[in-house]
Amino acid sequence: MDVDADVDAVADELYGLVPGRFTQARDERAAGARKAGQAQAARAIAGLRRPTRAAFASNLLVRRRPTEVAAFLELGEALRRAHRSLDGTQLKDLSHRRHVVVAALARTARQLAEEEGQAVGDSAAHEVEQTLHAALADPDAAAQWSSGRLTTALTPPVGFAELSATAPERPRPAVARAGAAAKPKPSREAEQRRARYEQARRKAAETGVEATAREAELRGAEQEQREHDQALGEADARVAELERQLREARTGQDEARRALAEATDRVRAAARAAGAARRKADAAADRLAELPGAQEQ
């Protein structure tokens, strides 16, 4: 029995759940491991920490957007290489792309979390951005982030969030020790080929990251379009229903007016008939009173 594999499988499952379901599910899995006699696995599972809202959003991004994650990790490697080589021009270009991609992925993470019913406030959204900056700056942080099992937000190293647009002067190479064998200097043509290859490789990575950012923005815009289209459809349906009810109400109003007019006519006719009948009755009573013998009755 591979205890680590069992714990990994449970951790993958748990960190894919919304935070509100995490604790109960974790305790159930730990209890199941203890019942199965896996005391070591039970202790490891019970020790798993519930993720914060920002960590959940970051984990969800890793799990739902693997293509963007791969391109983002490549951007981090390119940034760290440029930082080590003190390549000011490349740092300036990559730094701009970093801000674009981080903003796009942070928006995507926030949207994914909200689709799961987990509102991400401004503070948590800032923590998601800080986590992304940390993943770009440090390979260990990148490994933690890309595992999809964060419990809390990561913090980038001081100064990384404001990479310099220009690099300091390169240190001069040390003088070779006396007697040390000198390495053959590459030909100018070989250096140019290598420079062209490296430039093309960096450009391919950068354009891939840029395309990923734009695709993330496109998905966000498409989602927003779908939501507005759905809202419009619901509004149209509501308007149609209200118009139908209005037509029925107007029809009922017209019928009520006709019925009222007919009833008014009947009342008037009945009133005339009643008046005529009353007059006839009064006349008949008067004639009866005038007849001989009426006084004797």
Side-chain angles (χ1 to χ4, degrees):
M1 179 186 303
D2 191 337
V3 174
D4 290 338
D6 290 342
V7 174
D8 282 342
V10 172
D12 279 337
E13 173 193 357
L14 293 177
Y15 286 107
L17 301 176
V18 297
R21 296 177 53 196
F22 181 90
T23 301
Q24 180 180 354
R26 178 199 61 195
D27 294 346
E28 290 175 353
R29 300 299 182 274
R34 281 193 296 272
K35 187 175 181 180
Q38 302 174 1
Q40 182 180 351
R43 285 193 297 272
I45 293 170
L48 296 174
R49 295 175 54 194
R50 168 179 166 166
T52 64
R53 191 64 60 91
F56 169 74
S58 299
N59 293 337
L60 200 59
L61 175 66
V62 169
R63 292 164 181 265
R64 299 283 181 83
R65 297 290 187 266
T67 302
E68 288 89 332
V69 168
F72 187 75
L73 293 174
E74 175 64 25
L75 173 61
E77 293 177 1
L79 273 167
R80 292 191 293 273
R81 281 195 301 269
H83 218 29
R84 288 193 299 269
S85 65
L86 305 177
D87 187 334
T89 301
Q90 188 182 11
L91 274 175
K92 181 178 180 180
D93 185 45
L94 291 178
S95 179
H96 171 71
R97 295 178 183 276
R98 171 173 61 89
H99 286 295
V100 172
V101 174
V102 165
L105 290 184
R107 284 195 300 271
T108 300
R110 192 171 189 173
Q111 177 184 332
L112 290 172
E114 290 175 350
E115 288 174 357
E116 294 296 321
Q118 305 298 303
V120 177
D122 291 341
S123 177
H126 177 69
E127 290 180 358
V128 172
E129 291 185 356
Q130 292 296 95
T131 296
L132 292 170
H133 284 304
L136 287 175
D138 179 53
D140 291 335
Q144 293 179 54
W145 172 72
S146 61
S147 71
R149 298 184 193 174
L150 290 181
T151 60
T152 188
L154 302 177
T155 303
V158 176
F160 183 79
E162 298 297 336
L163 285 175
S164 174
T166 60
E169 183 180 355
R170 291 174 179 268
R172 295 183 179 180
V175 178
R177 297 192 310 272
K183 294 183 179 179
K185 184 178 180 180
S187 68
R188 182 177 181 83
E189 183 180 353
E191 288 181 346
Q192 291 175 343
R193 283 199 304 270
R194 180 177 178 180
R196 287 195 298 271
Y197 170 79
E198 184 65 19
Q199 182 180 9
R201 188 192 62 76
R202 287 198 303 265
K203 188 65 176 177
E206 293 163 10
T207 53
V209 170
E210 183 75 14
T212 297
R214 296 295 174 258
E215 289 167 355
E217 292 176 354
L218 172 62
R219 280 192 297 274
E222 288 175 339
Q223 176 63 26
E224 185 177 0
Q225 181 189 41
R226 286 192 294 271
E227 291 172 355
H228 288 308
D229 183 63
Q230 180 180 356
L232 177 60
E234 293 172 354
D236 287 343
R238 180 60 177 161
V239 168
E241 174 62 18
L242 291 173
E243 288 176 343
R244 183 189 66 78
Q245 293 177 11
L246 178 60
R247 287 193 299 271
E248 291 181 353
R250 284 176 173 168
T251 299
Q253 182 185 48
D254 292 341
E255 292 175 351
R257 283 175 175 167
R258 286 194 297 271
L260 175 61
E262 292 172 358
T264 300
D265 291 342
R266 287 196 297 273
V267 167
R268 290 172 180 169
R272 287 193 297 270
R278 173 52 56 193
R279 286 191 296 276
K280 289 180 180 179
D282 291 343
D286 290 343
R287 287 194 299 273
L288 178 63
E290 293 173 355
L291 292 175
Q295 299 297 327
E296 298 175 0
Q297 294 296 326

